[in-house]
Amino acid sequence: MLDTFAPEDSMRVYGRGIRRRLAPMLDGDPRRIALAHAVTLSLPGPPVLRYGDEIGMGDDLDRPEREAVRTPMQWSNTPTAGFSNAPSDQFQAPVVTGPYGPEHVSVDEQNVRDGSLLHRVGGLVRARLGLSELGRVRPEPWDLGVSSVLALRYQVAESSVLLIANLADEDVVAKLPADEASALEAGLARYADVHVDQDYPPVETDGRIPIAGYGYRWLRRTVDGGAVDDPAVEPAGGDPERVAAKGEKKR
């Protein structure tokens, strides 16, 4: 892990840790960053999100030790990043500059851009809040026949969800286990998307599940073809106000 994400000594701390932010470690690729958030939010236990990672902030390796990731939050594209009205030379830490500076990465810019990383992470968080199974049981890893696919199944009684992530950059077609495919073909069950990184065709009756490179699909399984709790799927770049309104209605 150190060789991959912290190949230089300046990127490491105490000889065993990494002092970098998520975005620079993933070369600023919004697809990979969103996927990393999707994987984190699909794991059991309370997820931890460092401030600024929801917009893809960078780090400042010129600062010592852990201070490299403790830079002002970038609210706007102004020179002081909207963090304070004080002169920047009075800040306890300097604002990040370069490709991850506020002129390129800020909350204000991403708030108004459809499909931004901020919108994607917000959609993932809201979708997770609606999946009560994640906080009640441990997941069961499923082999979907593709080595790059991580699949976690959470089941409580007859309620279950399947969270899938494709860790490769190529599109793949995963396949449900044989017994699940048989249930689909017999019309005894179906899978419906709850949250996705992009629009996908429905899961095939033979159990095939297409997934884009660095893509993710969160699916709910229903028994006997019953109705899905919330059939309106919100893609990753959907309108955040509409998603929030839908969540308020459900509560």
Side-chain angles (χ1 to χ4, degrees):
M1 182 177 290
L2 287 172
D3 289 342
T4 299
F5 295 115
E8 301 175 14
D9 288 342
S10 64
M11 300 173 179
R12 304 179 182 184
V13 63
Y14 309 136
R16 61 182 183 277
I18 298 175
R19 64 187 205 102
R20 303 184 70 193
R21 276 192 175 270
L22 178 63
M25 286 195 291
L26 299 179
D27 300 322
D29 186 337
R31 297 182 307 156
R32 296 175 69 195
I33 300 169
L35 174 63
H37 285 299
V39 171
T40 298
L41 290 165
S42 69
L43 297 175
V48 177
L49 178 65
R50 174 176 289 276
Y51 80 91
D53 279 352
E54 73 275 26
I55 61 172
M57 277 178 53
D59 44 44
D60 184 353
L61 296 179
D62 289 334
R63 307 201 71 219
E65 300 181 345
R66 297 172 180 172
E67 299 301 312
V69 299
R70 296 171 179 172
T71 58
M73 180 65 186
Q74 294 169 199
W75 297 104
S76 71
N77 61 359
T78 62
T80 57
F83 182 73
S84 171
N85 291 326
S88 58
D89 59 4
Q90 295 182 14
F91 283 16
Q92 292 298 308
V95 175
V96 169
T97 59
Y100 296 99
E103 66 272 28
H104 303 293
V105 179
S106 72
V107 172
D108 280 355
E109 187 276 330
Q110 294 193 28
N111 255 335
V112 297
R113 175 163 55 86
D114 287 343
S116 69
L117 180 61
L118 179 60
H119 286 181
R120 289 187 175 212
V121 175
L124 285 163
V125 170
R126 286 185 288 271
R128 180 189 166 98
L129 289 174
L131 301 179
S132 62
E133 294 88 349
L134 271 66
R136 300 169 63 186
V137 295
R138 286 189 171 276
E140 176 189 359
W142 268 16
D143 182 356
L144 301 187
V146 181
S147 61
S148 66
V149 168
L150 171 67
L152 300 175
R153 178 177 182 253
Y154 292 81
Q155 181 166 2
V156 178
E158 292 189 350
S159 175
S160 68
V161 292
L162 180 62
L163 311 186
I164 307 173
N166 179 15
L167 307 181
D169 61 353
E170 298 179 350
D171 296 357
V172 299
V173 178
K175 198 171 190 307
L176 291 171
D179 57 341
E180 282 295 292
S182 297
L184 291 179
E185 290 179 335
L188 300 177
R190 68 187 180 101
Y191 282 82
D193 286 304
V194 174
H195 192 73
V196 293
D197 69 297
Q198 64 177 50
D199 290 331
Y200 288 105
V203 175
E204 302 284 349
T205 55
D206 62 0
R208 289 182 298 165
I209 307 175
I211 315 171
Y214 298 136
Y216 47 88
R217 294 182 73 169
W218 291 1
L219 301 125
R220 178 170 291 284
R221 183 187 191 274
T222 59
V223 180
D224 297 328
V228 179
D229 290 343
D230 189 356
V233 180
E234 198 64 49
D239 181 349
E241 293 185 1
R242 183 155 59 92
V243 179
K246 185 172 62 177
E248 290 293 338
K249 183 178 179 181
K250 289 172 66 179
R251 286 195 290 272

